Amino acid sequence: MKQDMIVILDLGSTENTVLARQIRDLGVYSEIHPHDITVEELKKLDNVKGIILNGGENRIVDGAAVEIRPELYDLEYPMISIDYPSSKCDTQLKELPDEAALKQFVFEICKAEANWNMKNFIEDQVELIRRQVGDGKVLLALSGGVDSSVVAAMLIKAIGQQLVCVHVNHGLMRKNESESVVQVFRDQLHANLIYVDASERFLGKLENVADPEQKRKIIGGEFIRVFEEEARKLEGIEFLGQGTIYPDIIESGTKTAKMVKSHHNVGGLPEDLQFKLVEPLKQLFKDEVRACGVELGLPHSMVYRQPFPGPGLGVRCLGAITRDRLEAVRESDAILREEFEKAGLDKKVWQYFTVVPDFKSVGVKNNARSFDYMVIIRAINTIDAMSATIERIDWDVLQRITERILAEVENVNRVCYDMSPKPPATIEFE
């Protein structure tokens, strides 16, 4: 079933995603597109019922105000402008937190139907995947995280055995992560899974690299290289499946918003990529990805698995990666997850992890002076990963975690708790 769509044109607003989610919460699908979308590009979108011109503080780019193409007004789509002066729009608002005004535009003026739900979304995506892939084969990076797992389930539903899953151990996985992925997907779900241990290769490429953007691009680029090598061993691989979701795209920068950080599946792709991309989740927010996974029948434990960044512990071992700090991140993270599960916090807190910075401090261990690293604990709650609040952890739980980390993790003499929300901080440190 084709779902009606409201298009949001980004004319400098910092609230595009908030508006998109408001519309989706009304049961109507919405997408955000750049201000300079062409008539041809707009017409290619299915079932557009109306357009919102969403202006804001980022409307001035390189000294000039961004504008929509004037020929868009001739298409006679219902239009409303928010903080964007336009004599061609009947309705102009300074801002929109008013739900009644939004409902009136969406349902009364645009005549849109509330047919946005996961069942319809999946049906549409399955049709699009089959149309795009045809008789071809898709190679999927299966990390075992929520995004890649949901993509795998979606692709299996759409093309079955035409999917080839590849799990790459890049040496930056959490403790026992790769072993768990192999057990679940190969042994329990009987997926066509190829396991590649490339840990030494990745760590070699990352040696002495401290810049976080460079680390992300190296990890992303090397991932694709590994897939290309695996694809050469197979026949008929034309497509690369990816778990790109909407916050990845937003944070990698738009035409009116500066980049927060690049993502391995957005900004790190090499120019000579030999695959066509299949990205069925790229318009979904994180909570919608989970809802999609539930609708696809994935087990609850997999759908609500602790989020994990594509570059893995590489962005939690701050600065140039060293093996001793990488191991400290891995072991402290395992302790944190174990203690959170014991305290029931694993079901309450959206994301929690440890990081180890690339500097040392003086301390005392085993009745002697030590000069070791610190572990920083981060625990946050969020709905869509665009903003986040800090979880208030019980003091006894924090003390128990601290005691275990200091006693069990080598090269560590200090534990800190990060109190910074997003914004101004990001979820990850790098």
Side-chain angles (χ1 to χ4, degrees), residues 317-335:
C317 185
L318 307 185
I321 297 171
T322 59
R323 292 175 187 262
D324 59 344
R325 285 193 300 113
L326 183 60
E327 192 60 22
V329 175
R330 200 183 329 266
E331 292 298 324
S332 61
D333 176 79
I335 291 171

Side-chain angles (χ1 to χ4, degrees), residues 36-169:
D36 57 355
I37 189 172
T38 66
V39 169
E40 292 73 21
E41 290 169 335
L42 191 60
K43 285 184 175 180
K44 287 180 181 178
L45 301 176
D46 288 330
N47 286 18
V48 175
K49 295 297 183 180
I51 298 173
I52 298 178
L53 310 180
N54 203 24
E57 61 190 66
N58 292 328
R59 191 176 161 223
I60 306 300
V61 178
D62 296 329
V66 296
E67 307 282 351
I68 70 167
R69 297 177 186 271
E71 55 266 31
L72 262 58
Y73 291 114
D74 298 330
L75 296 178
E76 298 184 351
Y77 288 113
M79 284 189 184
I80 188 174
S81 66
I82 303 173
D83 198 14
Y84 173 72
S86 173
S87 60
K88 300 290 184 70
C89 287
D90 294 331
T91 304
Q92 300 185 54
L93 302 175
K94 181 60 180 174
E95 57 184 13
L96 195 65
D98 186 353
E99 185 176 350
L102 186 61
K103 281 184 177 180
Q104 182 182 29
F105 175 72
V106 171
F107 296 116
E108 297 180 24
I109 299 175
C110 297
K111 307 297 183 184
E113 292 186 26
N115 53 17
W116 159 246
N117 56 60
M118 278 304 146
K119 181 178 180 181
N120 290 340
F121 175 80
I122 291 169
E123 289 178 358
D124 284 351
Q125 289 302 316
V126 166
E127 180 184 339
L128 290 172
I129 292 168
R130 288 172 178 168
R131 192 188 310 165
Q132 180 186 7
V133 174
D135 295 329
K137 292 183 180 179
V138 180
L139 188 64
L140 174 66
L142 181 56
S143 68
V146 176
D147 301 339
S148 66
S149 298
V150 175
V151 169
M154 181 87 77
L155 289 170
I156 289 170
K157 181 177 180 67
I159 58 173
Q161 292 302 305
Q162 293 170 246
L163 173 66
V164 179
C165 298
V166 177
H167 175 69
V168 178
N169 179 0

